Amino acid sequence: MKILVISENIPKSDFSSGDKRFLGILKILASKHEVTFCIPNPKPWLKPVENKSYIDYIEGMNIRFLSLAEDFFEEIIKKETFNIGFFEFFWTAEKYMNQFIKYQPNAVVVVDSVDLHFAREETQYNLGQISKHKVLQTKKRELSVYKLADITIAVSTQDSDQLLKIDKTGNISLIPNVVPTVKRAVREREPSLIFIGCYAWPPNVDGMLWFTKEVWPLIINKRSDAKLLIVGSQATDEIKSLSNIEGVEVTGYVPKTEPYLESASISIAPLRFGGGMKGKVNEAMAHGLPVVSTSIGAQGFNIENGVQMFIADLPNDFANAVLKLLDNPDLQTKVGEAGQKQNEQLCSPVVIEKNIDELIKMCLELQKAPSLNRKSWDKWRVRKNNFVQQYIWRFFD
């Protein structure tokens, strides 16, 4: 199959779990198909020289990376024929899907949701952080894209089930995070907790601020030797200031997270809003590290509380779960290994490869269907109406 991947950014394996998942999918696709990667309108900060190592990594997977110097998108979709247009995030498809369909009427349009953004925003609204109008605006825009696409990729069973309940969202393909299993390091571990995330992502900032204020004092009061490592890129001033709290260290960006995962006792995911499947949880489970998470952080893992991880939404419950693990190294190992097995069954490259093969099979079947002989103007008319609705919601927000 000839696949054109359309994204607005260059995925970076050391930046976020979403980028790691994207690269994992690209690697599997490129191992069996002809893949071209395109950024339709490169932003000023996407300079070829500064991003050379990331571009080299993509090209090293036998993927053709179109130049960032000019806009090659319209030129290539006019000149070449593709079987699949793969759009990363709904807003990328919102901008470029109609143009792609115009010149590639027989190609299958696939949109990778990464997570359901309106579902994540609903949980954020429940905390009083955004307006209801903002949630409804995102929902209208997002669902309009999924309804126009031929296939929407969901990252978790919760997201998939939610989309299947919505009328006319079309075909749904389930592709979770791609996370290889790492043998659990056999070593004596310090009584340390670790949180890994990109702090340009609001749920990570909110989660750490909540945890250090509401939960950490309960832990440090019982275990004065406990430590909390806050690891990850783009630490905000709020996050950096947490290093002033007793027992807390903010490392900022690190090129590799493995050394931290192999020395910590517990990984925490105190997320209060979010969607999809959390890569930080995948990564910890893949290393055999026991996880204490909120219900939001545990989404998509089909967990039995206290077996593959501990789930707690209230400060006292969260602190008690952490203390229980800190006081029992054997329990750390038991829960860590159970979580590792669960993660492997859901997210190992072998499993994801089968899911992607099913996606390609679905694309082949759709290519034969008469419904793909569509008129791009019909798509544009619906999309135009959605934009009108979008600006109405902005006015009232």
Side-chain angles (χ1 to χ4, degrees):
M1 300 284 276
K2 195 172 179 183
I3 304 169
L4 180 64
V5 175
I6 302 100
S7 174
E8 292 197 293
N9 282 297
I10 303 169
K12 304 172 182 178
S13 61
D14 59 350
F15 180 74
S16 71
S17 63
D19 281 3
K20 286 182 180 179
R21 171 182 174 273
F22 190 20
L23 287 167
I25 292 172
L26 290 176
K27 183 176 181 179
I28 293 170
L29 285 172
S31 69
K32 300 181 180 182
H33 306 281
E34 185 180 336
V35 179
T36 299
F37 189 97
C38 178
I39 299 178
N41 287 299
K43 303 296 189 295
W45 59 83
L46 294 176
K47 298 177 181 178
V49 175
E50 294 177 6
N51 290 280
K52 185 177 185 305
S53 62
Y54 300 113
I55 295 171
D56 288 347
Y57 184 84
I58 292 171
E59 291 181 330
M61 294 190 288
N62 196 31
I63 293 173
R64 177 173 55 153
F65 191 102
L66 295 185
S67 173
L68 290 171
E70 299 178 35
D71 182 0
F72 278 84
F73 179 61
E74 186 168 356
E75 180 182 336
I76 195 169
I77 59 177
K78 282 181 177 179
K79 184 171 62 177
E80 299 185 27
T81 300
F82 294 93
N83 303 111
I84 300 170
F86 186 108
F87 293 84
E88 187 71 357
F89 289 110
F90 84 86
W91 56 78
T92 306
E94 185 180 56
K95 292 179 183 178
Y96 305 110
M97 180 166 58
N98 180 70
Q99 189 178 10
F100 178 82
I101 290 171
K102 178 181 177 181
Y103 295 108
Q104 303 285 327
N106 297 315
V108 177
V109 173
V110 177
V111 178
D112 184 12
S113 68
V114 185
D115 71 354
L116 292 188
H117 302 269
F118 72 85
R120 168 170 39 80
E121 288 186 354
E122 283 174 350
T123 60
Q124 190 175 7
Y125 164 74
N126 292 336
L127 295 173
Q129 296 185 3
I130 58 173
S131 70
K132 187 66 173 178
H133 289 312
K134 174 67 168 65
V135 179
L136 293 174
Q137 177 194 73
T138 299
K139 188 172 185 177
K140 285 179 177 291
R141 291 176 57 203
E142 189 172 5
L143 291 181
S144 70
V145 169
Y146 300 153
K147 288 176 181 179
L148 295 179
D150 299 304
I151 300 171
T152 299
I153 296 175
V155 73
S156 70
T157 52
Q158 282 92 336
D159 284 1
S160 176
D161 291 344
Q162 193 164 355
L163 283 174
L164 289 170
K165 291 177 184 176
I166 299 169
D167 186 35
K168 297 180 181 178
T169 48
N171 302 285
I172 310 298
S173 176
L174 180 64
I175 302 180
N177 292 332
V178 191
V179 187
T181 298
V182 180
K183 186 177 180 180
R184 177 179 166 87
V186 180
R187 59 184 296 178
E188 186 176 345
R189 296 177 184 244
E190 297 180 348
S192 60
L193 284 59
I194 187 170
F195 179 87
I196 300 174
C198 170
Y199 301 99
W201 190 238
N204 290 335
V205 175
D206 175 82
M208 276 294 90
L209 295 177
W210 175 78
F211 180 82
T212 52
K213 181 181 178 182
E214 303 290 342
V215 184
W216 183 243
L218 303 176
I219 295 169
I220 202 73
N221 185 51
K222 295 284 184 67
R223 288 291 301 258
S224 59
D225 59 340
K227 296 180 181 179
L228 169 62
L229 296 176
I230 300 175
V231 179
S233 61
Q234 295 188 295
T236 64
D237 289 340
E238 282 183 307
I239 292 297
K240 291 175 183 177
S241 70
L242 298 180
S243 60
N244 297 321
I245 298 173
E246 180 187 359
V248 178
E249 179 185 347
V250 179
T251 69
Y253 168 82
V254 296
K256 291 187 178 296
T257 57
E258 284 80 2
Y260 298 90
L261 291 165
E262 291 175 357
S263 61
S265 299
I266 303 166
S267 174
I268 57 169
L271 303 172
R272 300 197 301 163
F273 65 95
M277 180 177 275
K278 315 304 179 295
K280 60 179 62 60
V281 178
N282 282 117
E283 190 175 33
M285 293 172 73
H287 281 79
L289 193 61
V291 176
V292 180
S293 173
T294 56
S295 300
I296 294 292
Q299 287 175 339
F301 289 97
N302 304 323
I303 290 300
E304 183 180 350
N305 190 11
V307 179
Q308 298 97 346
M309 75 168 70
F310 282 89
I311 303 172
D313 293 315
L314 299 176
N316 278 321
D317 294 339
F318 205 109
N320 288 337
V322 169
L323 289 166
K324 185 176 182 178
L325 284 165
L326 284 177
D327 292 339
N328 192 334
D330 289 339
L331 183 62
Q332 292 175 27
T333 302
K334 182 179 179 181
V335 174
E337 290 178 347
Q340 187 178 56
K341 183 177 180 181
Q342 180 78 354
N343 188 74
E344 187 168 6
Q345 291 172 350
L346 291 171
C347 300
S348 68
V350 173
V351 171
I352 303 304
E353 183 175 354
K354 292 178 181 177
N355 290 9
I356 290 176
D357 286 346
E358 286 298 316
L359 169 67
I360 296 299
K361 182 180 178 182
M362 193 186 301
C363 290
L364 285 167
E365 292 172 353
L366 285 172
Q367 274 201 310
K368 300 173 185 176
S371 60
L372 278 183
N373 295 322
R374 55 206 163 190
K375 294 180 180 179
S376 62
W377 172 253
D378 292 334
K379 295 277 185 179
W380 166 246
R381 183 178 57 192
V382 176
R383 181 166 172 256
K384 182 180 178 182
N385 290 338
N386 287 330
F387 272 121
V388 172
Q389 291 176 346
Q390 171 188 338
Y391 285 110
I392 289 173
W393 281 113
R394 284 182 181 175
F395 178 78
F396 284 109
D397 191 10

